[in-house]
Amino acid sequence: MHDLKLIHTDLKPENVLLKDASYVKKPYTLPATASTTGSKKSSKAKGKTYYRKILTDPKIYTIDFGSAIFQDEYHSTIVSTRHYRAPEIILGIGWSYPCDMWSLGCILVELITGDALFKTHENVQHLAMMEKVLGEKIDLSLVRKCFSLFYHDNTTTQSSNGRRRSSTSSNATGDCIASAFSKKNGQLIFPTPTTPQKLVSEVTNLPNLADLIGSKVGFRFTMSLGLADSIKFFKVPKKHQEEYSFWYWFLDLIKCLLVYDPEKRLTAKEAMCHKWFDCGLADDGIDV
């Protein structure tokens, strides 16, 4: 799509369809030596046999091009379904092909967990969830762009293609999204004294990305370590190291897609050249 200069703008699991939904079940056992959260529940899960649904035909179709646009067409202010919306859209600083790549990162997480990564309907909480999951503050350079767009005029901002538009990127109070950041240091102000406790708890209870993926695949990760050091640090047995490498690079791919700055986010072509695609587990397909 991007080679055709087309931006989908609404990638989500509902818009990726299977050609054939038929499958066979194959047993899968979490590595008995792997530690996840350390809870009694996770301990009981070790060694237990689960079943994977293996598709007879892995072909998929991307659908719903109703919101898709070409790069040289007018870009509306808000696009993408909320849970898959990239930070640059929320910040109102302009968007392009990278917004699709952020959505793909969210989809990959959901394929592992079975649940949307950012379950929210509020801009500031959404940004706070991103910071909690990724363990990083939103880039100051992006916040500065947001400031420059919103603070020169409270009611209108300049869009990335030169057109004037209404300021619709607002938080729950109706203020522009720029007001969610400190003018002093550019950091997101969350929570505030008026933030509902429910929203605060939803952010607080979110695990970081490494723990979230690790709890689902039966390994522990920290992205501050390289693969070799991570294997050594978590004492991954030799017989599980190939599988560990597979999930390590899968997590790394997601982290390269969920990058705040759209200019630093992987492009579609770069993502296809990621190390994860060079990994291989023992064939988990079906006999044909």
Side-chain angles (χ1 to χ4, degrees), residues 201-235:
S201 298
E202 288 171 349
V203 173
T204 304
N205 294 334
L206 275 176
N208 65 48
L209 188 61
D211 288 344
L212 179 62
I213 300 299
S215 67
K216 296 298 179 179
V217 302
F219 289 112
R220 296 179 65 193
F221 303 98
T222 173
M223 299 314 293
S224 61
L225 296 176
L227 175 59
D229 289 337
S230 192
I231 288 174
K232 183 177 179 180
F233 183 80
F234 291 114
K235 301 177 181 178

Side-chain angles (χ1 to χ4, degrees), residues 128-170:
M129 284 181 165
M130 292 177 183
E131 291 191 339
K132 182 68 189 297
V133 169
L134 300 180
E136 298 175 356
K137 297 294 183 182
I138 294 170
D139 293 17
L140 186 57
S141 60
L142 302 184
V143 177
R144 284 172 177 160
K145 286 182 182 179
C146 183
F147 281 169
S148 67
L149 287 171
F150 284 98
Y151 281 140
H152 81 277
D153 187 326
N154 243 358
T155 58
T156 60
T157 62
Q158 194 76 22
S159 67
S160 59
N161 56 12
R163 292 181 173 85
R164 303 286 289 181
R165 60 174 172 77
S166 298
S167 174
T168 55
S169 294
S170 305

Side-chain angles (χ1 to χ4, degrees), residues 58-74:
K59 188 172 183 179
I60 61 174
Y61 293 101
T62 305
I63 66 164
D64 192 357
F65 288 81
S67 302
I69 68 163
F70 288 101
Q71 171 61 14
D72 60 356
E73 293 181 314
Y74 171 71

Side-chain angles (χ1 to χ4, degrees), residues 5-214:
K5 308 298 182 186
L6 190 65
I7 310 167
H8 189 284
T9 76
D10 197 21
L11 292 176
K12 54 185 176 181
E14 293 90 333
N15 287 340
V16 182
L17 302 186
L18 303 172
K19 175 184 178 182
D20 182 355
S22 62
Y23 62 87
V24 295
K25 283 187 176 182
K26 296 197 92 177
Y28 170 69
T29 304
L30 287 174
T33 55
S35 174
T36 52
T37 60
S39 66
K40 292 182 179 179
K41 184 177 180 181
S42 64
S43 299
K44 290 179 181 179
K46 297 176 194 175
K48 180 180 177 181
T49 300
Y50 296 87
Y51 287 89
R52 286 177 173 170
K53 296 177 181 180
I54 309 299
L55 292 170
T56 56
D57 185 344
K59 188 172 183 179
I60 61 174
Y61 293 101
T62 305
I63 66 164
D64 192 357
F65 288 81
S67 302
I69 68 163
F70 288 101
Q71 171 61 14
D72 60 356
E73 293 181 314
Y74 171 71
H75 289 30
S76 60
T77 308
I78 299 295
V79 291
S80 299
T81 299
R82 160 63 75 181
H83 298 166
Y84 311 92
R85 188 173 295 161
E88 62 267 26
I89 299 173
I90 299 173
L91 294 174
I93 57 177
W95 52 268
S96 185
Y97 304 109
C99 74
D100 281 346
M101 305 311 295
W102 178 278
S103 299
L104 284 174
C106 296
I107 291 171
L108 288 179
V109 174
E110 192 164 339
L111 288 175
I112 292 296
T113 65
D115 207 358
L117 179 58
F118 301 115
K119 293 189 291 186
T120 178
H121 296 284
E122 202 275 329
N123 280 333
V124 181
Q125 187 197 34
H126 197 164
L127 295 174
M129 284 181 165
M130 292 177 183
E131 291 191 339
K132 182 68 189 297
V133 169
L134 300 180
E136 298 175 356
K137 297 294 183 182
I138 294 170
D139 293 17
L140 186 57
S141 60
L142 302 184
V143 177
R144 284 172 177 160
K145 286 182 182 179
C146 183
F147 281 169
S148 67
L149 287 171
F150 284 98
Y151 281 140
H152 81 277
D153 187 326
N154 243 358
T155 58
T156 60
T157 62
Q158 194 76 22
S159 67
S160 59
N161 56 12
R163 292 181 173 85
R164 303 286 289 181
R165 60 174 172 77
S166 298
S167 174
T168 55
S169 294
S170 305
N171 58 29
T173 65
D175 298 325
C176 71
I177 193 62
S179 65
F181 294 90
S182 167
K183 288 185 179 180
K184 183 177 180 181
N185 57 25
Q187 292 191 5
L188 184 68
I189 305 170
F190 184 92
T192 68
T194 60
T195 303
Q197 185 57 44
K198 180 177 182 294
L199 300 188
V200 178
S201 298
E202 288 171 349
V203 173
T204 304
N205 294 334
L206 275 176
N208 65 48
L209 188 61
D211 288 344
L212 179 62
I213 300 299

